[in-house]
Amino acid sequence: MLGALFGQEALQPAEHRRLVRSKVSAVPVEDLGETHPRPLGVLLHREIGLDKGARREGEALLEARGDVDGARLVHESLTDGAPGLLEAVLAHARFERRCGSREDVLAIYKGALPRLDAGSDARGLVQAALARFQLHVLRDADAARQTLEASIREAPQCRELWVAYYALEASSEDAAAPKRVSALFSAALDDSTQLPAASQKALWSLYLQHVEDLGPEIGHLLEVREAHAGWLRKTGQLA
């Protein structure tokens, strides 16, 4: 019961919303300015007093009980009050997607981008989420490709952008798609991208899995395996 969670009993939906507004508005803005991904439920637990039982689903609590207006108020309060809070932006956009508000989703993602540092991983994560929405929900592969290409030029070190780009190209059915996937990984794994070692490792695993499962010919598979072995030797992971 939401009323019990906030230390109140038998609150009506309108009262819930007023209480949530007062609780959220009381959170210091500097405490909301983080850009590192963290479940919004943890934020709500730490800052506005949700009890332990609600931590896992703090951001979905109102939505799950049918109070869509109240859920929207929480999301809007957080994204408006702390536009740099990455998890708030993502949670708000995903909420509106579930509500079927496609134009609002686009507005949330695109409205957040100017408020995030150009080239930052946080901005890259929002751009990747936008591209996935364009591809899978709007069914607009061209828009998704434009988003990803511009974003990768800006933040080539962001692994999520490359993974989203891979998902786009791997889902293409035209004859040139396999070559585009190979070119994508070659670009992503080039030293110029300055990807962290952990991200390089993850992309190599994804590339190997792709050519094993979907590669068109054995020669290409052997080439990728050899390139991966060369990377392992270069990074001291293979004698």
Side-chain angles (χ1 to χ4, degrees):
M1 298 295 290
L2 188 62
L5 291 173
F6 282 110
Q8 306 286 331
E9 294 184 0
L11 291 177
Q12 296 302 309
E15 294 173 302
H16 283 150
R17 290 192 288 273
R18 284 195 295 272
L19 182 59
V20 170
R21 184 189 294 277
S22 66
K23 292 285 190 179
V24 171
S25 64
V27 179
V29 172
E30 59 269 22
D31 290 345
L32 293 173
E34 303 172 24
T35 56
H36 300 292
R38 183 161 46 89
L40 188 56
V42 175
L43 175 79
L44 292 173
H45 169 78
R46 181 171 68 85
E47 300 292 0
I48 63 177
L50 286 177
D51 76 8
K52 187 175 181 179
R55 178 181 290 192
R56 291 194 305 272
E57 298 180 350
E59 71 272 33
L61 195 61
L62 288 162
E63 182 185 355
R65 66 183 297 278
D67 189 357
V68 174
D69 290 339
R72 181 170 284 114
L73 175 61
V74 173
H75 288 298
E76 289 176 350
S77 297
L78 286 171
T79 51
D80 291 345
L85 184 65
L86 177 60
E87 62 267 31
V89 170
L90 297 178
H92 190 185
R94 289 162 181 166
F95 162 76
E96 294 294 357
R97 176 189 57 78
R98 291 191 295 272
C99 293
S101 307
R102 295 183 175 187
E103 291 184 1
D104 289 338
V105 175
L106 288 173
I108 291 165
Y109 283 139
K110 293 182 178 181
L113 292 175
R115 302 173 179 181
L116 297 167
D117 291 340
S120 66
D121 284 346
R123 183 176 162 98
L125 287 169
V126 172
Q127 291 165 320
L130 169 60
R132 288 193 297 269
F133 177 75
Q134 291 169 321
L135 176 63
H136 298 296
V137 180
L138 301 183
R139 303 294 182 183
D140 191 341
D142 289 339
R145 183 173 285 106
Q146 290 174 12
T147 294
L148 289 168
E149 289 178 353
S151 303
I152 287 172
R153 284 195 295 270
E154 181 182 280
Q157 83 290 343
C158 181
R159 180 178 67 186
E160 287 298 319
L161 289 171
W162 291 107
V163 172
Y165 202 2
Y166 163 72
L168 166 66
E169 297 296 12
S171 67
S172 300
E173 297 181 355
D174 60 284
K179 291 184 177 180
R180 292 201 303 273
V181 170
S182 295
L184 182 157
F185 279 109
S186 294
L189 294 166
D190 188 83
D191 290 340
S192 64
T193 62
Q194 298 184 333
L195 277 167
S199 295
Q200 292 182 31
K201 183 177 180 179
L203 288 180
W204 269 116
S205 295
L206 184 60
Y207 193 15
L208 287 166
Q209 178 181 313
H210 173 82
V211 294
E212 292 279 3
D213 293 345
L214 303 172
E217 55 186 32
I218 187 63
H220 181 55
L221 170 59
L222 295 176
E223 288 176 2
V224 174
R225 285 179 177 174
E226 180 56 33
H228 179 240
W231 176 77
L232 291 175
R233 289 190 293 270
K234 178 180 176 181
T235 56
Q237 300 177 63
L238 184 67

